[in-house]
Amino acid sequence: MASETPGHETQETLSNLLSENRRFAPPADLAAGANVTAAAYEEAEEDRLGFWERAAERLTWAERWDTTLEWNPPFAKWFVGGKLNVAYNCVDRHVEAGRGDKVAYHWEGEPEGDSRTITYADLQREVSKTANALEELGVRKGDRVAIYMPMIPELPISLLACARIGAIHSVVFGGFSASALKSRIDDADAKVVITADGGYRRGAPSALKPTVDEAVSECPGVEHVVVVRRTGQDVATTDKDVWWHDLVDRQSEQHTAVPHDAEDPLYILYTSGTTGKPKGILHTTGGYLTQTSWTHQAVFDLKPETDVYWCTADIGWVTGHSYIVYGPLANGATSVLYEGTPDTPHRGRFWEVVQKYGVTILYTAPTAIRTFMKWGDDIPAKFDMSSLRVLGSVGEPINPEAYVWYREHIGGDRCPVVDTWWQTETGAIMISPLPGVTSAKPGAAMRPLPGIVADVVDDQANSVPNGGGGFLVVREPWPSMLRTIWGDDQRYIDTYWSRFEGMYFAGDGAKRDDDGDIWLLGRVDDVMLVSGHNISTTEVESALVSHPKVAEAAVVGATDPVTGQAIVSFVILRGSAEESDDIATELRTHVAKTLGPIAKPRQILIVPELPKTRSGKIMRRLLRDVAENRSLGDVTTLTDSSVMNLISDKLPSAKSED
Ligand code: ATP
Ligand code: MG
């Protein structure tokens, strides 16, 4: 770590303040039968492209590639000349191998008792019919199809039908507004929209169709809107509408999956908008399926014959694309697909689902884990979750305390937790423990996966030594990397490839600990500069969450006349903790003790909620506006914009002591 240089305002690296001594070795039986062993790291190091070729061989190719990687920085082509059909790989080949009766999805609707079982043979029929239906509507290879749906089986079926015919899907999360949907339909120039009348959300039907109508009324390029009847609520219709059951049900169950080029586009997905205007991330076919499928079986140690896998994300986010649809299906997995929220009809719903299906692998987000912590340990304790064997986390840095809680209260202290770092842009997991190999540290993503060359560098692009912090970069292309930003190569170059020569810049801060293991430290845009020290939001938040009274925390740097920036903390207390007069002092002292006096917050505000994006991530830039008494920036990507009023109300009573 660089020391403070006199005369310089800033350090060129991030401070490393948090130390963590807990270690969790892989369970012996898991290690003994693990899909991937430590040898994979060496193999990939010796021959990285050979490693990815072997991973690609897990798929069924209609024609083998002739060049593994064509790299004209920053534009990559993987498996050049290869041909394959993604839907065939995810569905048909399992049926042909005699596994048609195997369950692909246990679908669980939000209303209790509403469930469907979809086997691989069912999926093959439904995907074929839907592919025929799209073709009847005039959808051809390369056309864009916007998908705006609840978490029902027709959602993955729609993705696979597009992939089958080579149409490019653009899924827009079903919680987005009409204007967000419109701008995404426009940007991708989608010709067809697939939607539903509504979905179930917190115990009631929640309409989707009116939002689509509003958006589509301003999108003349949309020719057809296909509508699934899910809730049966009344919907207005337009002359572009066709009911899914009228269109799809009468189609032939036969559809020939023609092979597509390895570099043909598979989908566009807009990033979740935590930092600003969403970018249309473009993913292609062969490399994407290779890395999603390889990582899914490696990181979760998936045994397709016996595991029941559940990723709780929404398919509207990349996590759902890669780890509910493409990775698991390519691997022939049995998954749970859940429509609703974790607290409907009660706060034990997730654990009830785990118990009902005997879920063995659970993949969820820190925001959910912290919510469960807040609700209390007694809720998961009521359910039998002994089937679980591997737990995963994605989406934000997981605070060590949340990690340990997850391991103990959900994983019964026997399941390894894999903290997986990746992005919409990376397409698949990049940095993560391997559950049968890694002695994991709570809060650390640990090491780049075999075949991935990631690094932490200072602002001069030099690797930081162990113990140092800086910027997370990827030094070599990887199969599932984004190929560009849809329609905007220049923005692709400027955003990801211009900060450091020849390296992909992810926008996240990270540190390497004394053992060389990687810890994610949050977005570099959020880093706080306090008295010349770059302090990460993650470390201070983790220190706050390690206090027994705190469930969740967000910190920001606010302008301060003395220190440049000062740390302002927004804290949600645990269910059992009482708000008291001296809690702010107690927490400030706790942070100073855990991380050192430099990280002591200037203010602590106890709040009922934090502003989050629709994907559940804390949006710190809005908190910065509050902390600096500015009018709020763009709140349109917030789940609930009224949260900001609740938080602003707290400000006058903020305590600032020293
Ligand atoms: P936008 O790019 O529009 O601001 P976003 O970055 O939230 O949106 P995603 O691609 O869904 O959109 O999220 C990727 C980001 O999430 C990463 O860059 C990182 O900041 C965070 N992230 C994901 N997984 C982890 C993890 N395991 N540990 C730490 N951070 C993570
Ligand atoms: Mg991002």
Side-chain angles (χ1 to χ4, degrees), residues 399-651:
N399 318 105
E401 234 35 66
Y403 178 112
V404 169
W405 185 91
Y406 188 31
R407 205 189 128 88
E408 184 177 329
H409 293 279
I410 307 305
D413 255 334
R414 67 182 182 275
C415 306
V417 176
V418 287
D419 173 19
T420 65
W421 178 86
W422 60 294
Q423 311 175 293
T424 308
E425 294 87 341
T426 70
I429 300 171
M430 302 288 281
I431 307 180
S432 168
L434 288 174
V437 178
T438 316
S439 263
K441 302 171 185 174
M446 303 300 291
R447 285 178 69 180
L449 288 176
I452 300 300
V453 188
D455 197 1
V456 184
V457 299
D458 64 19
D459 67 347
Q460 299 300 309
N462 303 309
S463 294
V464 303
N466 287 357
F471 305 91
L472 184 70
V473 296
V474 187
R475 288 184 176 275
E476 298 290 344
W478 63 101
S480 64
M481 66 189 275
L482 77 166
R483 298 308 194 252
T484 189
I485 293 177
W486 179 253
D488 201 345
D489 284 350
Q490 193 56 47
R491 191 175 179 204
Y492 167 69
I493 296 168
D494 294 344
T495 310
Y496 304 111
W497 299 93
S498 298
R499 181 71 177 78
F500 301 106
E501 173 87 38
M503 297 177 204
Y504 171 82
F505 172 48
D508 285 338
K511 72 176 182 187
R512 219 196 303 274
D513 69 15
D514 293 336
D515 305 319
D517 294 321
I518 293 177
W519 297 66
L520 273 300
L521 295 182
R523 294 160 199 275
V524 290
D525 300 352
D526 291 336
V527 166
M528 305 172 289
L529 182 59
V530 182
S531 305
H533 293 266
N534 281 320
I535 297 180
S536 88
T537 49
T538 304
E539 291 203 316
V540 181
E541 289 164 5
S542 290
L544 285 163
V545 174
S546 73
H547 190 284
K549 288 183 183 159
V550 175
E552 184 151 32
V555 305
V556 297
T559 309
D560 185 275
V562 181
T563 54
Q565 282 191 319
I567 301 175
V568 178
S569 314
F570 299 81
V571 169
I572 300 180
L573 297 180
R574 288 218 201 189
S576 52
E578 293 278 322
E579 185 170 347
S580 67
D581 282 349
D582 26 310
I583 183 96
T585 317
E586 196 178 325
L587 295 179
R588 293 173 71 240
T589 311
H590 175 75
V591 174
K593 248 197 239 150
T594 314
L595 301 178
I598 186 73
K600 187 174 183 176
R602 181 183 75 188
Q603 275 168 291
I604 303 263
L605 290 111
I606 307 297
V607 293
E609 265 310 331
L610 290 171
K612 296 203 176 149
T613 62
R614 290 183 163 82
S615 59
K617 301 181 191 205
I618 298 172
M619 216 184 316
R620 290 178 193 76
R621 64 181 167 80
L622 294 178
L623 294 174
R624 219 150 34 226
D625 292 343
V626 172
E628 297 190 332
N629 281 310
R630 266 195 311 270
S631 59
L632 289 184
D634 183 11
V635 294
T636 51
T637 52
L638 276 185
T639 333
D640 175 5
S641 53
S642 67
V643 163
M644 291 314 297
N645 299 334
L646 296 175
I647 294 170
S648 306
D649 289 350
K650 290 279 176 173
L651 199 60

Side-chain angles (χ1 to χ4, degrees), residues 114-194:
D114 192 2
S115 58
R116 274 167 71 184
T117 304
I118 294 135
T119 65
Y120 277 92
D122 296 334
L123 207 51
Q124 185 182 38
R125 278 192 295 274
E126 295 309 316
V127 171
S128 296
K129 280 157 55 183
T130 309
N132 285 322
L134 290 175
E135 285 178 341
E136 186 185 305
L137 296 181
V139 178
R140 298 286 172 265
K141 178 166 174 159
D143 288 345
R144 273 78 60 204
V145 175
I147 299 178
Y148 183 76
M149 287 171 95
M151 286 280 283
I152 54 178
E154 288 79 0
L155 174 53
I157 289 167
S158 297
L159 269 64
L160 293 162
C162 289
R164 196 171 183 96
I165 63 181
I168 305 170
H169 59 70
S170 166
V171 182
V172 180
F173 173 63
F176 273 122
S177 66
S179 67
L181 176 60
K182 177 199 173 301
S183 67
R184 287 162 175 78
I185 292 175
D186 273 347
D187 189 70
D189 197 12
K191 160 171 190 180
V192 166
V193 179
I194 308 179

